[in-house]
Amino acid sequence: MEDLFKKLTSHCKEYGFIYPSSEIYDGLSAVYDYAPNGVELKNNIKTYWWKSMVQMHQNIVGLDAAIFMHPKTWKASGHVDAFNDPLVDNKDSKKRYRADQLIEDYLDKLEAKISKEVEKARAKFGASFDETLYRATNPRVVENKTKQDQIQKRLTDAMTSGDMAELKKIIEDCEIVDPDTGSRNWTEVRQFNLMFNTQLGNIAGEEGKLYLRPETAQGIFVNFLNVQKTTRQKIPFGIAQIGKAFRNEIVARQFIFRMREFEQMEMQFFVKPGEEMQWYEYWKEKRMNWHLALGTPASKYKFHNHENLAHYANAAVDIQFDFPFGFKELEGIHSRTDFDLKSHQELSGKKLQYFDTEANENFIPYVVETSIGCDRMFLAMLSNAYCEEEVPDAEGEASQRVVLKLHPAIAPIKCAVLPLLKNKPELVDKARTIFDELKFSFLCQYDDKDAIGRRYRRQDAIGTPYCVTIDFDTLSDETVTIRDRDTLKQERIPISAIEQIISEKIAWKNLF
Ligand code: ATP
């Protein structure tokens, strides 16, 4: 899997998906630029999310709030006081880690030990294997499970109460070592605020202190009444937003999985207090279906309930994805109660209440949020799509291909238009005419460089679902060959049918 991760990162660079930021100056840690194919894929992911949220729901509307917000926003939201990660340094390696993540990795290792033991027993006992009984009685499994539960509880308690000394104690008790060097020489655990800050105009000091938003949600909360009034929405209704967020992450070593500047797609759904759990369940299912509609196998996803609830939530679950480095959070679904609206109301002195005309009463709505990182979704899609394959009936270099089996709706380029030979003006002219016609419908690429096999390989590597080849028959019978990326099948079709075949395959409708 690590090998796959390395291959993916270099594929991203080589085929124009992602570059390190300011690379000529050796890059900037945990900041990346989206390259020409990357920006297309990312835009398509955003479009898919936006359409499924806003276009498909009459009661969800969009918003694009500014990144900078009044500094009091972050006081009210709790980010100034509580948006901290517990960090710990290793004195020998001088490396910095998140204490909670070191402990979670340790818990994952215990889980892996248990699973290994169970799988061994399954192989040994075959059909008669009773997993529940085995888990409850095998001494090694029971011992590891007890240890795991105890540490999980201590971690949850320490994180909830902000007890840094206890986190250090857990690290010591579990004899956790620096993953890089094996050293156990740790500093104390300290709180570290993740918000970047800057200064407004020429106002010095605290007065002019501005933060780069660490989540897009607050722009939605402070606009809640504006939106409700101007769109005349009735509860339940939602506000959706896509935008940049910034976090000064302590550990940022996993490519675009953990960045310091990233993009979120968030939707806050405002509901009647008491109805939030029903909507929480609704959005859990809806969001999982959104992922599965892209054709990714269900085994790549799982729900992970939060043991350790954030200060604002009364229920929270992650949709985890099987990334090349294991199952990790891709999206969060949180029941945020009325925490945010209530704190903004208190600090601003402005009412943020909804008037329910039927019940003839005012109340502060509860909020269920769905929050997904666009960059993590990008990484999930790439790692799921990346395939190395043998090509049947091909020889030499052409017998192997790397193909990105992206869903056609999100693939960066939809169709490549390829004249069979570059030095035949009649083929080139015809190909250009076809390209100029198709470009109005979807993103196409014209390519006449190198042998046709090579051009196919290039399109496979960026996930183009269709290649259209113009040859001498085209000139006499107005047909082309259309090649399917996944089946490698080539069919002869009339030029006039290209647009419709491709449009049907890439239609957003197929996903809803
Ligand atoms: P983690 O525990 O991995 O730090 P989080 O629980 O802090 O994530 P949320 O605050 O719930 O994340 O943010 C919502 C979503 O935003 C996440 O599910 C993730 O997809 C994305 N996200 C959060 N932090 C980052 C980051 N540093 N880089 C890229 N995406 C991120």
Side-chain angles (χ1 to χ4, degrees):
M1 287 304 255
E2 224 166 72
D3 192 34
L4 169 65
F5 192 42
K6 276 198 198 128
K7 282 182 182 166
L8 267 185
T9 39
S10 57
H11 193 83
C12 277
K13 168 92 196 294
E14 189 178 345
Y15 287 94
F17 283 90
I18 293 169
Y19 308 137
S21 160
S22 20
E23 198 187 9
I24 56 167
Y25 296 105
D26 297 332
L28 181 64
S29 156
V31 184
Y32 292 91
D33 296 339
Y34 282 83
N37 289 318
V39 67
E40 297 298 339
L41 173 57
K42 193 179 182 205
N43 282 342
N44 291 339
I45 289 173
K46 290 196 268 190
T47 304
Y48 174 39
W49 185 87
W50 191 264
K51 281 183 183 293
S52 79
M53 285 294 179
V54 179
Q55 192 173 325
M56 293 294 121
H57 291 93
Q58 266 194 341
N59 63 345
I60 299 183
V61 291
L63 182 76
D64 183 12
I67 288 171
F68 288 136
M69 298 183 69
H70 193 286
K72 280 190 181 166
T73 310
W74 307 111
K75 187 75 191 157
S77 69
H79 285 85
V80 172
D81 299 320
F83 192 54
N84 298 312
D85 274 349
L87 76 84
V88 63
D89 291 302
N90 188 281
K91 292 185 202 162
D92 296 328
S93 70
K94 308 271 182 277
K95 285 226 155 108
R96 182 164 283 181
Y97 297 91
R98 258 172 69 176
D100 58 328
Q101 281 179 354
L102 284 176
I103 299 168
E104 264 162 19
D105 288 349
Y106 174 80
L107 290 170
D108 285 348
K109 276 187 199 140
L110 287 180
E111 184 62 41
K113 271 191 196 163
I114 295 172
S115 299
K116 201 167 157 197
E117 207 73 57
V118 170
E119 288 319 310
K120 242 171 45 194
R122 192 192 310 282
K124 190 165 149 200
F125 296 114
S128 64
F129 181 58
D130 180 342
E131 184 175 334
T132 318
L133 183 69
Y134 184 78
R135 280 181 183 268
T137 52
N138 178 280
R140 273 192 305 270
V141 171
V142 172
E143 188 192 333
N144 279 328
K145 179 79 183 114
T146 313
K147 206 192 277 176
Q148 195 188 26
D149 290 346
Q150 282 167 352
I151 300 298
Q152 179 67 60
K153 170 140 192 356
R154 284 176 67 189
L155 172 64
T156 305
D157 291 348
M159 290 299 285
T160 313
S161 61
D163 188 346
M164 298 297 113
E166 169 67 356
L167 288 178
K168 172 79 187 285
K169 183 98 192 8
I170 301 174
I171 291 176
E172 282 168 356
D173 291 352
C174 298
E175 301 184 344
I176 294 173
V177 297
D178 181 329
D180 275 3
T181 61
S183 156
R184 269 190 231 156
N185 194 3
W186 298 107
T187 62
E188 293 310 306
V189 179
R190 282 168 294 142
Q191 300 266 26
F192 176 78
N193 194 291
L194 297 184
M195 278 197 295
F196 283 101
N197 60 57
T198 182
Q199 221 48 43
L200 178 68
N202 59 357
I203 307 171
E206 281 300 302
E207 276 289 284
K209 193 167 181 180
L210 279 190
Y211 296 99
L212 295 187
R213 67 180 177 198
E215 62 176 23
T216 58
Q218 297 305 323
I220 293 179
F221 290 126
V222 300
N223 276 302
F224 154 71
L225 262 197
N226 280 341
V227 172
Q228 194 266 322
K229 284 186 176 148
T230 50
T231 60
R232 298 182 312 284
Q233 287 287 347
K234 287 207 168 13
I235 267 174
F237 78 96
I239 305 177
Q241 176 167 225
I242 299 178
K244 288 268 172 124
F246 305 82
R247 296 183 187 178
N248 201 356
E249 298 281 1
I250 298 169
V251 187
R253 302 197 187 102
Q254 281 164 323
F255 192 37
I256 57 167
F257 180 81
R258 192 172 295 286
M259 298 156 93
R260 298 206 163 99
E261 173 180 340
F262 58 102
E263 204 157 8
Q264 288 185 314
M265 308 190 282
E266 295 199 300
M267 193 278 300
Q268 318 289 320
F269 201 67
F270 299 90
V271 305
K272 216 173 173 171
E275 291 182 357
E276 72 275 14
M277 289 322 284
Q278 161 197 334
W279 287 110
Y280 174 72
E281 293 303 328
Y282 172 88
W283 282 111
K284 260 176 80 170
E285 190 189 328
K286 264 268 180 216
R287 292 303 305 147
M288 186 58 103
N289 289 342
W290 182 87
H291 289 283
L292 297 178
L294 284 166
T296 316
S299 59
K300 293 250 171 184
Y301 290 97
K302 67 181 183 196
F303 284 118
H304 173 80
N305 282 314
H306 281 210
E307 306 270 343
N308 177 9
L309 287 177
H311 58 279
Y312 50 75
N314 69 357
V317 68
D318 294 339
I319 294 180
Q320 293 189 333
F321 183 80
D322 191 6
F323 286 101
F325 36 83
F327 274 97
K328 297 272 179 222
E329 171 175 349
L330 166 61
E331 169 160 10
I333 296 143
H334 312 125
S335 173
R336 286 179 85 128
T337 69
D338 58 356
F339 174 86
D340 302 85
L341 289 179
K342 208 154 121 195
S343 342
H344 286 305
Q345 175 170 292
E346 274 163 23
L347 200 63
S348 67
K350 306 274 172 19
K351 262 198 174 172
L352 287 176
Q353 298 186 2
Y354 174 80
F355 181 66
D356 185 339
T357 45
E358 273 165 36
N360 199 24
E361 62 175 7
N362 276 307
F363 60 83
I364 300 182
Y366 268 41
V367 172
V368 175
E369 146 185 282
T370 72
S371 173
I372 173 169
C374 190
D375 314 273
R376 282 191 194 177
M377 184 64 191
F378 186 104
L379 185 57
M381 288 303 91
L382 269 189
S383 54
N384 182 58
Y386 184 94
C387 248
E388 289 174 3
E389 281 186 347
E390 301 270 324
V391 180
D393 308 324
E395 279 171 15
E397 197 192 330
S399 65
Q400 292 280 334
R401 70 167 183 164
V402 170
V403 52
L404 291 186
K405 295 191 173 173
L406 293 165
H407 190 288
I410 62 167
I413 310 289
K414 308 303 186 191
C415 171
V417 179
L418 317 170
L420 188 62
L421 298 169
K422 184 185 176 179
N423 51 5
K424 297 284 174 201
E426 59 275 39
L427 292 184
V428 168
D429 288 350
K430 190 72 186 165
R432 284 270 177 213
T433 310
I434 294 174
F435 174 84
D436 282 337
E437 198 48 48
L438 291 177
K439 73 182 177 194
F440 291 101
S441 306
F442 33 74
L443 194 59
C444 300
Q445 204 168 67
Y446 172 88
D447 187 4
D448 61 15
K449 193 170 174 289
D450 300 323
I452 195 78
R454 272 236 171 128
R455 284 182 268 165
Y456 285 154
R457 291 295 95 79
R458 276 205 290 270
Q459 296 300 330
D460 287 344
I462 61 170
T464 307
Y466 289 109
C467 289
V468 163
T469 306
I470 288 84
D471 56 22
F472 290 103
D473 288 342
T474 311
L475 304 176
S476 56
D477 66 4
E478 291 286 304
T479 64
V480 291
T481 48
I482 185 163
R483 171 189 180 268
D484 182 296
R485 177 196 71 195
D486 300 334
T487 63
L488 292 168
K489 261 219 202 109
Q490 304 201 17
E491 262 185 279
R492 202 81 205 169
I493 58 160
I495 293 173
S496 57
I498 307 173
E499 202 262 354
Q500 195 191 347
I501 291 177
I502 299 180
S503 294
E504 273 171 18
K505 187 84 170 182
I506 64 171
W508 293 111
K509 214 161 67 179
N510 301 335
L511 289 167
F512 302 132

